[in-house]
Amino acid sequence: DGGITQSPKYLFRKEGQNVTLSCEQNLNHDAMYWYRQDPGQGLRLIYYSQIVNDFQKGDIAEGYSVSREKKESFPLTVTSAQKNPTAFYLCASSPGDRGYYEQYFGPGTRLTVT
Amino acid sequence: AQSVTQPDIHITVSEGASLELRCNYSYGATPYLFWYVQSPGQGLQLLLKYFSGDTLVQGIKGFEAEFKRSQSSFNLRKPSVHWSDAAEYFCAVGPFRGGYNKLIFGAGTRLAVHP
């Protein structure tokens, strides 16, 4: 089955540690996205990537980093510089073709930093 | 600036009752509009989308939405709600010129269904 995989589902880290969240898709989509979700705030875009080896900052990129070395993978690193990292993180992808804009979402990773 | 407003944070309906979730947007061009649903602790699932053409669009799970340009609205409706419809619903608008298919999401409406 085609889809988006995020692992792990739950992640716990100590303050001051970097942590990397995995996102893999086998939909052959060009574009991939990372969102952060906090209660009552909807989804906020962290980073997005249209093609391999290219990515752009979203609205809340500070304290995060990404890489896009392969079309199917778009890992997100939450660094120690992120002041409030505890949140639900969602990865999404879209075909990227003109006129085809809906995004497909993974199941999410809940990160808790103490 | 582009934005999406979902005026209702929480809505409670009885099972079998009709439902309407409101969505208003601010966008400088012809919008592409989406409704997504999220069950607790899960990712988002696309319910329906509007790109052009007929302003009344049908989606999955018996949902429909109507695009009204004059009111900048894209309200989601269902004639008879089932207990399994309890979830959070997000309206989204896009894309943006040079924005790599970026979408802007509303803050969401949480739906509770009473038996």
Side-chain angles (χ1 to χ4, degrees), chain B residues 20-33:
Chain B
E20 183 169 30
L21 302 182
R22 296 182 291 164
C23 173
N24 294 99
Y25 64 89
S26 173
Y27 190 76
T30 302
Y32 290 5
L33 296 156

Side-chain angles (χ1 to χ4, degrees), chain A residues 12-40:
Chain A
F12 298 89
R13 281 295 182 270
K14 294 291 187 184
E15 196 172 314
Q17 293 179 337
N18 291 355
V19 59
T20 297
L21 282 60
S22 169
C23 177
E24 304 276 335
Q25 54 100 357
N26 61 4
L27 300 168
N28 199 34
H29 286 174
D30 288 315
M32 297 187 74
Y33 312 79
W34 274 106
Y35 292 91
R36 171 182 172 134
Q37 186 177 25
D38 296 283

Side-chain angles (χ1 to χ4, degrees), chain A residues 24-101:
Chain A
E24 304 276 335
Q25 54 100 357
N26 61 4
L27 300 168
N28 199 34
H29 286 174
D30 288 315
M32 297 187 74
Y33 312 79
W34 274 106
Y35 292 91
R36 171 182 172 134
Q37 186 177 25
D38 296 283
Q41 295 194 45
L43 278 69
R44 293 183 290 168
L45 183 64
I46 305 172
Y47 268 98
Y48 57 98
S49 168
Q50 182 75 353
I51 56 173
V52 174
N53 293 321
D54 180 68
F55 47 83
Q56 304 293 327
K57 292 182 179 180
D59 302 318
I60 56 165
E62 184 176 353
Y64 299 97
S65 66
V66 293
S67 62
R68 186 87 185 276
E69 298 177 0
K70 298 186 295 183
K71 185 176 184 177
E72 59 270 23
S73 179
F74 191 41
L76 173 74
T77 297
V78 184
T79 75
S80 57
Q82 169 50 234
K83 295 180 181 177
N84 296 297
T86 294
F88 189 55
Y89 290 89
L90 287 160
C91 178
S93 70
S94 68
D97 294 326
R98 186 180 297 276
Y100 193 18
Y101 298 106

Side-chain angles (χ1 to χ4, degrees), chain B residues 28 48 93 95:
Chain B
L48 48 77
V93 64

Side-chain angles (χ1 to χ4, degrees), chain B residues 26-105:
Chain B
S26 173
Y27 190 76
T30 302
Y32 290 5
L33 296 156
F34 308 85
W35 274 100
Y36 286 85
V37 61
Q38 183 182 34
S39 297
Q42 302 297 316
L44 276 68
Q45 181 183 21
L46 180 67
L47 283 176
L48 48 77
K49 62 189 178 188
Y50 171 77
F51 284 178
S52 64
D54 193 344
T55 57
L56 183 64
V57 294
Q58 303 296 320
I60 62 171
K61 306 186 179 187
F63 286 93
E64 66 177 27
E66 186 172 13
F67 169 57
K68 293 185 177 180
R69 185 185 300 275
S70 62
Q71 299 179 20
S72 297
S73 69
F74 188 55
N75 294 348
L76 182 70
R77 301 194 294 247
K78 187 170 184 178
S80 177
V81 171
H82 187 263
W83 64 266
S84 60
D85 293 325
E88 190 155 22
Y89 292 80
F90 294 93
C91 182
V93 64
F96 300 93
R97 184 174 300 171
Y100 290 79
N101 302 344
K102 284 173 60 178
L103 298 180
I104 288 183
F105 287 82

